């Protein structure tokens, strides 16, 4: 026998031709694919215009887990790096990355 659950109207995110879905199950079935594993994930993180499973949002240098609410990571070529791995990069590369970031900041329009 099939067990049916009644969802409160505010809990319904979307209805597909197959039925109504809560946010968790809708994302799992129809969400954007993870950049790493290409599967849809209910626990998605969106960084650098890419979607990641929470478990797959890791440092590109050491594969260490990065918590998405933790601001202690940096982006290099649209990939996350922990501060420890960033610190191990050659000084010349860090200087070029800093200069490029400063250049981008100057090009941003002023906020009013």
């Amino acid at each position: 026998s099939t067990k049916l659950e009644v969802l409160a109207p505010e809990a319904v995110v979307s209805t597909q031709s197959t039925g109504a879905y809560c946010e968790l199950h809708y994302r799992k079935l129809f969400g954007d694919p993870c950049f790493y594993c290409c599967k849809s994930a209910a626990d998605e993180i969106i960084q650098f215009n890419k979607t990641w499973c929470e478990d797959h949002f890791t440092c590109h240098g050491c594969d260490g887990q990065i918590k998405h609410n933790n601001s202690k990571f940096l982006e290099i070529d649209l990939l996350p790096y922990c501060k420890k791995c960033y610190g191990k990069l050659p000084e010349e590369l860090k200087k070029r990355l800093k200069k490029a970031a400063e250049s981008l900041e100057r090009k941003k329009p002023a906020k009013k």
Side-chain angles (χ1 to χ4, degrees):
S1 99
T2 303
K3 181 180 178 184
L4 298 175
E5 293 183 37
V6 177
L7 295 176
E10 64 273 8
V12 177
V13 170
S14 178
T15 56
Q16 297 288 330
S17 60
T18 56
Y21 297 90
C22 66
E23 182 178 5
L24 175 74
H25 289 105
Y26 180 82
R27 284 187 184 182
K28 196 166 191 170
L29 293 169
F30 306 108
D32 291 330
C34 172
F35 175 74
Y36 180 82
C37 71
C38 298
K39 295 179 183 175
S40 293
D43 57 348
E44 67 186 20
I45 296 171
I46 299 174
Q47 283 288 338
F48 321 125
N49 292 322
K50 299 175 185 176
T51 301
W52 312 72
C53 295
E54 190 170 359
D55 291 342
H56 295 145
F57 190 65
T58 58
C59 173
H60 192 68
C62 67
D63 287 328
Q65 185 75 34
I66 296 175
K67 298 294 182 195
H68 72 281
N69 57 357
N70 182 352
S71 62
K72 296 180 181 179
F73 67 90
L74 298 114
E75 171 267 323
I76 302 173
D77 292 334
L78 300 177
L79 296 169
Y81 281 81
C82 66
K83 285 193 170 191
K84 186 176 180 180
C85 286
Y86 181 83
K88 292 178 183 178
L89 294 174
E91 289 301 317
E92 184 60 33
L93 176 58
K94 289 191 278 190
K95 285 180 187 177
R96 281 190 274 141
L97 291 169
K98 183 177 180 181
K99 189 174 181 179
E102 289 170 351
S103 176
L104 285 174
E105 279 297 315
R106 283 193 298 269
K107 290 180 182 179
K108 283 185 180 177
K111 291 184 179 180
K112 292 182 181 184

mmCIF file of all heavy atoms in Angstrom, residues 3-47:
data_model
loop_
_atom_site.group_PDB
_atom_site.id
_atom_site.type_symbol
_atom_site.label_atom_id
_atom_site.label_comp_id
_atom_site.label_asym_id
_atom_site.label_seq_id
_atom_site.Cartn_x
_atom_site.Cartn_y
_atom_site.Cartn_z
ATOM 1 N N LYS A 3 1.707 5.048 1.096
ATOM 2 C CA LYS A 3 1.439 5.992 2.179
ATOM 3 C C LYS A 3 1.356 7.396 1.583
ATOM 4 O O LYS A 3 2.250 7.842 0.874
ATOM 5 C CB LYS A 3 2.558 5.935 3.223
ATOM 6 C CG LYS A 3 2.326 6.868 4.382
ATOM 7 C CD LYS A 3 3.459 6.767 5.390
ATOM 8 C CE LYS A 3 3.234 7.742 6.517
ATOM 9 N NZ LYS A 3 4.323 7.752 7.467
ATOM 10 N N LEU A 4 0.290 8.106 1.844
ATOM 11 C CA LEU A 4 0.113 9.458 1.351
ATOM 12 C C LEU A 4 0.286 10.441 2.487
ATOM 13 O O LEU A 4 -0.174 10.217 3.595
ATOM 14 C CB LEU A 4 -1.284 9.636 0.746
ATOM 15 C CG LEU A 4 -1.603 8.761 -0.461
ATOM 16 C CD1 LEU A 4 -3.054 8.960 -0.865
ATOM 17 C CD2 LEU A 4 -0.700 9.127 -1.621
ATOM 18 N N GLU A 5 0.988 11.534 2.209
ATOM 19 C CA GLU A 5 1.159 12.583 3.204
ATOM 20 C C GLU A 5 0.490 13.846 2.698
ATOM 21 O O GLU A 5 0.534 14.158 1.520
ATOM 22 C CB GLU A 5 2.643 12.856 3.442
ATOM 23 C CG GLU A 5 3.353 11.683 4.090
ATOM 24 C CD GLU A 5 4.804 12.000 4.379
ATOM 25 O OE1 GLU A 5 5.095 13.157 4.755
ATOM 26 O OE2 GLU A 5 5.623 11.105 4.219
ATOM 27 N N VAL A 6 -0.129 14.581 3.592
ATOM 28 C CA VAL A 6 -0.778 15.827 3.228
ATOM 29 C C VAL A 6 0.202 16.958 3.509
ATOM 30 O O VAL A 6 0.746 17.068 4.605
ATOM 31 C CB VAL A 6 -2.077 16.031 4.037
ATOM 32 C CG1 VAL A 6 -2.699 17.378 3.702
ATOM 33 C CG2 VAL A 6 -3.038 14.897 3.768
ATOM 34 N N LEU A 7 0.458 17.791 2.496
ATOM 35 C CA LEU A 7 1.360 18.922 2.652
ATOM 36 C C LEU A 7 0.559 20.199 2.855
ATOM 37 O O LEU A 7 -0.468 20.399 2.221
ATOM 38 C CB LEU A 7 2.216 19.102 1.393
ATOM 39 C CG LEU A 7 3.191 17.985 1.055
ATOM 40 C CD1 LEU A 7 3.865 18.291 -0.279
ATOM 41 C CD2 LEU A 7 4.230 17.843 2.142
ATOM 42 N N ALA A 8 1.038 21.044 3.732
ATOM 43 C CA ALA A 8 0.412 22.362 3.898
ATOM 44 C C ALA A 8 0.671 23.148 2.621
ATOM 45 O O ALA A 8 1.731 23.016 2.022
ATOM 46 C CB ALA A 8 1.030 23.065 5.099
ATOM 47 N N PRO A 9 -0.268 23.978 2.175
ATOM 48 C CA PRO A 9 -0.082 24.714 0.919
ATOM 49 C C PRO A 9 1.215 25.517 0.864
ATOM 50 O O PRO A 9 1.850 25.596 -0.171
ATOM 51 C CB PRO A 9 -1.304 25.632 0.858
ATOM 52 C CG PRO A 9 -2.321 24.970 1.706
ATOM 53 C CD PRO A 9 -1.563 24.241 2.779
ATOM 54 N N GLU A 10 1.645 26.116 1.990
ATOM 55 C CA GLU A 10 2.871 26.905 1.977
ATOM 56 C C GLU A 10 4.127 26.038 1.853
ATOM 57 O O GLU A 10 5.199 26.534 1.564
ATOM 58 C CB GLU A 10 2.962 27.804 3.223
ATOM 59 C CG GLU A 10 3.055 27.063 4.533
ATOM 60 C CD GLU A 10 1.696 26.692 5.136
ATOM 61 O OE1 GLU A 10 0.656 26.867 4.500
ATOM 62 O OE2 GLU A 10 1.708 26.219 6.272
ATOM 63 N N ALA A 11 4.015 24.731 2.065
ATOM 64 C CA ALA A 11 5.156 23.836 1.960
ATOM 65 C C ALA A 11 5.387 23.365 0.532
ATOM 66 O O ALA A 11 6.432 22.829 0.220
ATOM 67 C CB ALA A 11 4.966 22.620 2.877
ATOM 68 N N VAL A 12 4.433 23.574 -0.341
ATOM 69 C CA VAL A 12 4.558 23.122 -1.719
ATOM 70 C C VAL A 12 5.380 24.128 -2.508
ATOM 71 O O VAL A 12 5.056 25.305 -2.565
ATOM 72 C CB VAL A 12 3.174 22.935 -2.383
ATOM 73 C CG1 VAL A 12 3.333 22.540 -3.837
ATOM 74 C CG2 VAL A 12 2.375 21.893 -1.628
ATOM 75 N N VAL A 13 6.469 23.650 -3.069
ATOM 76 C CA VAL A 13 7.340 24.506 -3.858
ATOM 77 C C VAL A 13 6.879 24.540 -5.298
ATOM 78 O O VAL A 13 6.773 25.573 -5.913
ATOM 79 C CB VAL A 13 8.800 24.000 -3.794
ATOM 80 C CG1 VAL A 13 9.667 24.727 -4.783
ATOM 81 C CG2 VAL A 13 9.335 24.161 -2.389
ATOM 82 N N SER A 14 6.603 23.382 -5.846
ATOM 83 C CA SER A 14 6.239 23.311 -7.246
ATOM 84 C C SER A 14 5.376 22.087 -7.477
ATOM 85 O O SER A 14 5.450 21.104 -6.760
ATOM 86 C CB SER A 14 7.501 23.205 -8.100
ATOM 87 O OG SER A 14 7.151 23.096 -9.459
ATOM 88 N N THR A 15 4.569 22.176 -8.480
ATOM 89 C CA THR A 15 3.799 21.012 -8.879
ATOM 90 C C THR A 15 4.261 20.615 -10.273
ATOM 91 O O THR A 15 4.426 21.455 -11.150
ATOM 92 C CB THR A 15 2.285 21.293 -8.887
ATOM 93 O OG1 THR A 15 2.041 22.403 -9.734
ATOM 94 C CG2 THR A 15 1.771 21.575 -7.495
ATOM 95 N N GLN A 16 4.532 19.381 -10.441
ATOM 96 C CA GLN A 16 4.884 18.819 -11.742
ATOM 97 C C GLN A 16 3.706 17.967 -12.165
ATOM 98 O O GLN A 16 2.773 17.742 -11.392
ATOM 99 C CB GLN A 16 6.157 17.968 -11.622
ATOM 100 C CG GLN A 16 7.388 18.737 -11.202
ATOM 101 C CD GLN A 16 7.912 19.649 -12.300
ATOM 102 O OE1 GLN A 16 7.765 19.363 -13.473
ATOM 103 N NE2 GLN A 16 8.487 20.763 -11.897
ATOM 104 N N SER A 17 3.751 17.447 -13.363
ATOM 105 C CA SER A 17 2.638 16.618 -13.833
ATOM 106 C C SER A 17 2.463 15.376 -12.962
ATOM 107 O O SER A 17 1.401 14.775 -12.946
ATOM 108 C CB SER A 17 2.856 16.222 -15.289
ATOM 109 O OG SER A 17 4.055 15.484 -15.407
ATOM 110 N N THR A 18 3.513 15.027 -12.210
ATOM 111 C CA THR A 18 3.439 13.837 -11.355
ATOM 112 C C THR A 18 2.994 14.147 -9.934
ATOM 113 O O THR A 18 2.861 13.239 -9.139
ATOM 114 C CB THR A 18 4.812 13.138 -11.304
ATOM 115 O OG1 THR A 18 5.783 14.071 -10.859
ATOM 116 C CG2 THR A 18 5.191 12.601 -12.668
ATOM 117 N N GLY A 19 2.814 15.423 -9.574
ATOM 118 C CA GLY A 19 2.340 15.745 -8.235
ATOM 119 C C GLY A 19 2.995 16.959 -7.631
ATOM 120 O O GLY A 19 3.737 17.678 -8.279
ATOM 121 N N ALA A 20 2.721 17.182 -6.353
ATOM 122 C CA ALA A 20 3.274 18.308 -5.608
ATOM 123 C C ALA A 20 4.500 17.843 -4.824
ATOM 124 O O ALA A 20 4.558 16.710 -4.361
ATOM 125 C CB ALA A 20 2.219 18.852 -4.656
ATOM 126 N N TYR A 21 5.468 18.730 -4.675
ATOM 127 C CA TYR A 21 6.711 18.369 -3.993
ATOM 128 C C TYR A 21 7.069 19.426 -2.955
ATOM 129 O O TYR A 21 6.929 20.621 -3.199
ATOM 130 C CB TYR A 21 7.870 18.271 -4.994
ATOM 131 C CG TYR A 21 7.682 17.198 -6.004
ATOM 132 C CD1 TYR A 21 7.042 17.460 -7.212
ATOM 133 C CD2 TYR A 21 8.117 15.908 -5.761
ATOM 134 C CE1 TYR A 21 6.843 16.468 -8.148
ATOM 135 C CE2 TYR A 21 7.934 14.909 -6.700
ATOM 136 C CZ TYR A 21 7.305 15.192 -7.887
ATOM 137 O OH TYR A 21 7.111 14.202 -8.814
ATOM 138 N N CYS A 22 7.590 18.971 -1.817
ATOM 139 C CA CYS A 22 8.156 19.903 -0.850
ATOM 140 C C CYS A 22 9.506 20.366 -1.414
ATOM 141 O O CYS A 22 10.040 19.775 -2.358
ATOM 142 C CB CYS A 22 8.337 19.240 0.510
ATOM 143 S SG CYS A 22 9.562 17.924 0.532
ATOM 144 N N GLU A 23 10.063 21.421 -0.829
ATOM 145 C CA GLU A 23 11.313 21.978 -1.348
ATOM 146 C C GLU A 23 12.437 20.950 -1.378
ATOM 147 O O GLU A 23 13.155 20.830 -2.369
ATOM 148 C CB GLU A 23 11.744 23.177 -0.505
ATOM 149 C CG GLU A 23 12.998 23.831 -1.030
ATOM 150 C CD GLU A 23 13.408 25.053 -0.228
ATOM 151 O OE1 GLU A 23 12.782 25.348 0.790
ATOM 152 O OE2 GLU A 23 14.372 25.697 -0.650
ATOM 153 N N LEU A 24 12.604 20.181 -0.325
ATOM 154 C CA LEU A 24 13.664 19.182 -0.243
ATOM 155 C C LEU A 24 13.582 18.181 -1.387
ATOM 156 O O LEU A 24 14.553 17.953 -2.107
ATOM 157 C CB LEU A 24 13.597 18.447 1.105
ATOM 158 C CG LEU A 24 14.580 17.296 1.282
ATOM 159 C CD1 LEU A 24 15.977 17.850 1.496
ATOM 160 C CD2 LEU A 24 14.178 16.431 2.449
ATOM 161 N N HIS A 25 12.407 17.597 -1.584
ATOM 162 C CA HIS A 25 12.271 16.571 -2.617
ATOM 163 C C HIS A 25 12.261 17.169 -4.021
ATOM 164 O O HIS A 25 12.753 16.554 -4.966
ATOM 165 C CB HIS A 25 11.030 15.722 -2.361
ATOM 166 C CG HIS A 25 11.210 14.833 -1.179
ATOM 167 N ND1 HIS A 25 10.609 15.105 0.030
ATOM 168 C CD2 HIS A 25 11.963 13.727 -0.987
ATOM 169 C CE1 HIS A 25 10.975 14.181 0.902
ATOM 170 N NE2 HIS A 25 11.796 13.335 0.312
ATOM 171 N N TYR A 26 11.749 18.376 -4.174
ATOM 172 C CA TYR A 26 11.779 19.025 -5.475
ATOM 173 C C TYR A 26 13.219 19.244 -5.924
ATOM 174 O O TYR A 26 13.591 18.933 -7.050
ATOM 175 C CB TYR A 26 11.031 20.360 -5.447
ATOM 176 C CG TYR A 26 11.056 21.056 -6.783
ATOM 177 C CD1 TYR A 26 10.149 20.707 -7.774
ATOM 178 C CD2 TYR A 26 12.001 22.042 -7.061
ATOM 179 C CE1 TYR A 26 10.179 21.324 -9.019
ATOM 180 C CE2 TYR A 26 12.027 22.661 -8.294
ATOM 181 C CZ TYR A 26 11.120 22.300 -9.262
ATOM 182 O OH TYR A 26 11.162 22.913 -10.488
ATOM 183 N N ARG A 27 14.053 19.782 -5.020
ATOM 184 C CA ARG A 27 15.464 20.009 -5.367
ATOM 185 C C ARG A 27 16.182 18.701 -5.671
ATOM 186 O O ARG A 27 17.006 18.637 -6.570
ATOM 187 C CB ARG A 27 16.181 20.727 -4.229
ATOM 188 C CG ARG A 27 15.860 22.175 -4.160
ATOM 189 C CD ARG A 27 16.730 22.834 -3.142
ATOM 190 N NE ARG A 27 16.373 24.221 -2.976
ATOM 191 C CZ ARG A 27 17.006 25.020 -2.169
ATOM 192 N NH1 ARG A 27 18.017 24.580 -1.447
ATOM 193 N NH2 ARG A 27 16.634 26.275 -2.054
ATOM 194 N N LYS A 28 15.877 17.679 -4.895
ATOM 195 C CA LYS A 28 16.539 16.393 -5.100
ATOM 196 C C LYS A 28 16.194 15.806 -6.466
ATOM 197 O O LYS A 28 17.029 15.222 -7.135
ATOM 198 C CB LYS A 28 16.148 15.429 -3.985
ATOM 199 C CG LYS A 28 17.053 14.231 -3.891
ATOM 200 C CD LYS A 28 16.854 13.502 -2.593
ATOM 201 C CE LYS A 28 17.954 12.482 -2.435
ATOM 202 N NZ LYS A 28 17.976 11.897 -1.131
ATOM 203 N N LEU A 29 14.948 15.974 -6.881
ATOM 204 C CA LEU A 29 14.504 15.402 -8.154
ATOM 205 C C LEU A 29 14.777 16.304 -9.358
ATOM 206 O O LEU A 29 15.114 15.817 -10.435
ATOM 207 C CB LEU A 29 13.005 15.087 -8.090
ATOM 208 C CG LEU A 29 12.607 13.970 -7.133
ATOM 209 C CD1 LEU A 29 11.092 13.939 -6.973
ATOM 210 C CD2 LEU A 29 13.123 12.631 -7.624
ATOM 211 N N PHE A 30 14.625 17.617 -9.189
ATOM 212 C CA PHE A 30 14.646 18.504 -10.348
ATOM 213 C C PHE A 30 15.676 19.635 -10.257
ATOM 214 O O PHE A 30 15.720 20.487 -11.125
ATOM 215 C CB PHE A 30 13.260 19.131 -10.556
ATOM 216 C CG PHE A 30 12.165 18.122 -10.648
ATOM 217 C CD1 PHE A 30 11.265 17.978 -9.607
ATOM 218 C CD2 PHE A 30 12.031 17.312 -11.756
ATOM 219 C CE1 PHE A 30 10.237 17.055 -9.680
ATOM 220 C CE2 PHE A 30 11.014 16.373 -11.838
ATOM 221 C CZ PHE A 30 10.113 16.244 -10.798
ATOM 222 N N GLY A 31 16.480 19.659 -9.206
ATOM 223 C CA GLY A 31 17.423 20.762 -9.005
ATOM 224 C C GLY A 31 18.576 20.749 -9.994
ATOM 225 O O GLY A 31 18.768 19.814 -10.766
ATOM 226 N N ASP A 32 19.352 21.823 -9.964
ATOM 227 C CA ASP A 32 20.525 21.920 -10.823
ATOM 228 C C ASP A 32 21.529 20.837 -10.439
ATOM 229 O O ASP A 32 21.681 20.512 -9.264
ATOM 230 C CB ASP A 32 21.193 23.284 -10.679
ATOM 231 C CG ASP A 32 20.340 24.401 -11.250
ATOM 232 O OD1 ASP A 32 19.582 24.131 -12.199
ATOM 233 O OD2 ASP A 32 20.435 25.526 -10.747
ATOM 234 N N PRO A 33 22.267 20.296 -11.407
ATOM 235 C CA PRO A 33 23.236 19.244 -11.086
ATOM 236 C C PRO A 33 24.470 19.804 -10.373
ATOM 237 O O PRO A 33 24.889 20.934 -10.629
ATOM 238 C CB PRO A 33 23.605 18.673 -12.452
ATOM 239 C CG PRO A 33 23.308 19.759 -13.421
ATOM 240 C CD PRO A 33 22.172 20.544 -12.843
ATOM 241 N N CYS A 34 25.027 19.004 -9.500
ATOM 242 C CA CYS A 34 26.251 19.353 -8.782
ATOM 243 C C CYS A 34 27.412 19.447 -9.781
ATOM 244 O O CYS A 34 27.552 18.596 -10.661
ATOM 245 C CB CYS A 34 26.538 18.283 -7.726
ATOM 246 S SG CYS A 34 28.143 18.433 -6.908
ATOM 247 N N PHE A 35 28.232 20.477 -9.639
ATOM 248 C CA PHE A 35 29.390 20.669 -10.503
ATOM 249 C C PHE A 35 30.337 19.470 -10.431
ATOM 250 O O PHE A 35 30.973 19.113 -11.398
ATOM 251 C CB PHE A 35 30.121 21.956 -10.097
ATOM 252 C CG PHE A 35 31.395 22.212 -10.833
ATOM 253 C CD1 PHE A 35 31.369 22.636 -12.153
ATOM 254 C CD2 PHE A 35 32.613 22.043 -10.216
ATOM 255 C CE1 PHE A 35 32.546 22.879 -12.841
ATOM 256 C CE2 PHE A 35 33.794 22.274 -10.889
ATOM 257 C CZ PHE A 35 33.765 22.694 -12.206
ATOM 258 N N TYR A 36 30.417 18.836 -9.269
ATOM 259 C CA TYR A 36 31.349 17.724 -9.052
ATOM 260 C C TYR A 36 30.787 16.379 -9.513
ATOM 261 O O TYR A 36 31.419 15.662 -10.266
ATOM 262 C CB TYR A 36 31.726 17.660 -7.569
ATOM 263 C CG TYR A 36 32.683 16.545 -7.222
ATOM 264 C CD1 TYR A 36 34.049 16.707 -7.413
ATOM 265 C CD2 TYR A 36 32.225 15.351 -6.696
ATOM 266 C CE1 TYR A 36 34.934 15.686 -7.099
ATOM 267 C CE2 TYR A 36 33.104 14.330 -6.379
ATOM 268 C CZ TYR A 36 34.450 14.492 -6.586
ATOM 269 O OH TYR A 36 35.328 13.496 -6.276
ATOM 270 N N CYS A 37 29.582 16.033 -9.052
ATOM 271 C CA CYS A 37 29.053 14.683 -9.314
ATOM 272 C C CYS A 37 27.942 14.637 -10.359
ATOM 273 O O CYS A 37 27.510 13.555 -10.750
ATOM 274 C CB CYS A 37 28.567 14.033 -8.017
ATOM 275 S SG CYS A 37 27.056 14.782 -7.351
ATOM 276 N N CYS A 38 27.460 15.788 -10.783
ATOM 277 C CA CYS A 38 26.413 15.896 -11.815
ATOM 278 C C CYS A 38 25.053 15.351 -11.378
ATOM 279 O O CYS A 38 24.178 15.148 -12.211
ATOM 280 C CB CYS A 38 26.850 15.218 -13.112
ATOM 281 S SG CYS A 38 28.306 15.984 -13.830
ATOM 282 N N LYS A 39 24.860 15.117 -10.086
ATOM 283 C CA LYS A 39 23.560 14.673 -9.578
ATOM 284 C C LYS A 39 22.842 15.855 -8.947
ATOM 285 O O LYS A 39 23.474 16.779 -8.455
ATOM 286 C CB LYS A 39 23.735 13.577 -8.526
ATOM 287 C CG LYS A 39 24.328 12.304 -9.067
ATOM 288 C CD LYS A 39 24.492 11.280 -7.960
ATOM 289 C CE LYS A 39 25.156 10.018 -8.482
ATOM 290 N NZ LYS A 39 25.417 9.068 -7.413
ATOM 291 N N SER A 40 21.515 15.819 -8.955
ATOM 292 C CA SER A 40 20.748 16.848 -8.254
ATOM 293 C C SER A 40 20.895 16.622 -6.760
ATOM 294 O O SER A 40 20.994 15.486 -6.308
ATOM 295 C CB SER A 40 19.270 16.770 -8.644
ATOM 296 O OG SER A 40 19.121 17.123 -9.989
ATOM 297 N N ALA A 41 20.912 17.714 -6.011
ATOM 298 C CA ALA A 41 21.127 17.584 -4.572
ATOM 299 C C ALA A 41 20.144 18.441 -3.798
ATOM 300 O O ALA A 41 19.866 19.576 -4.178
ATOM 301 C CB ALA A 41 22.542 17.977 -4.208
ATOM 302 N N ALA A 42 19.628 17.912 -2.715
ATOM 303 C CA ALA A 42 18.722 18.666 -1.846
ATOM 304 C C ALA A 42 19.498 19.679 -1.011
ATOM 305 O O ALA A 42 18.973 20.705 -0.623
ATOM 306 C CB ALA A 42 17.956 17.713 -0.945
ATOM 307 N N ASP A 43 20.760 19.386 -0.739
ATOM 308 C CA ASP A 43 21.583 20.240 0.124
ATOM 309 C C ASP A 43 22.561 21.063 -0.720
ATOM 310 O O ASP A 43 23.742 21.103 -0.453
ATOM 311 C CB ASP A 43 22.324 19.397 1.152
ATOM 312 C CG ASP A 43 23.208 18.318 0.517
ATOM 313 O OD1 ASP A 43 23.080 18.076 -0.699
ATOM 314 O OD2 ASP A 43 24.029 17.728 1.240
ATOM 315 N N GLU A 44 22.049 21.731 -1.739
ATOM 316 C CA GLU A 44 22.926 22.405 -2.685
ATOM 317 C C GLU A 44 23.512 23.705 -2.150
ATOM 318 O O GLU A 44 22.917 24.395 -1.336
ATOM 319 C CB GLU A 44 22.185 22.670 -3.994
ATOM 320 C CG GLU A 44 21.070 23.664 -3.884
ATOM 321 C CD GLU A 44 20.272 23.791 -5.156
ATOM 322 O OE1 GLU A 44 20.300 22.890 -5.998
ATOM 323 O OE2 GLU A 44 19.606 24.824 -5.295
ATOM 324 N N ILE A 45 24.706 24.013 -2.653
ATOM 325 C CA ILE A 45 25.407 25.257 -2.369
ATOM 326 C C ILE A 45 25.668 25.899 -3.722
ATOM 327 O O ILE A 45 26.104 25.236 -4.653
ATOM 328 C CB ILE A 45 26.753 24.978 -1.660
ATOM 329 C CG1 ILE A 45 26.516 24.345 -0.297
ATOM 330 C CG2 ILE A 45 27.570 26.255 -1.542
ATOM 331 C CD1 ILE A 45 27.774 23.846 0.360
ATOM 332 N N ILE A 46 25.395 27.180 -3.820
ATOM 333 C CA ILE A 46 25.668 27.871 -5.071
ATOM 334 C C ILE A 46 26.784 28.871 -4.821
ATOM 335 O O ILE A 46 26.640 29.782 -4.020
ATOM 336 C CB ILE A 46 24.409 28.565 -5.619
ATOM 337 C CG1 ILE A 46 23.331 27.523 -5.896
ATOM 338 C CG2 ILE A 46 24.748 29.362 -6.880
ATOM 339 C CD1 ILE A 46 21.996 28.081 -6.302
ATOM 340 N N GLN A 47 27.925 28.640 -5.451
ATOM 341 C CA GLN A 47 29.091 29.515 -5.366
ATOM 342 C C GLN A 47 29.717 29.595 -6.750
ATOM 343 O O GLN A 47 29.771 28.605 -7.473
ATOM 344 C CB GLN A 47 30.141 28.955 -4.391
ATOM 345 C CG GLN A 47 29.817 29.145 -2.951
ATOM 346 C CD GLN A 47 29.945 30.585 -2.506
ATOM 347 O OE1 GLN A 47 30.625 31.397 -3.115
ATOM 348 N NE2 GLN A 47 29.273 30.923 -1.439
#
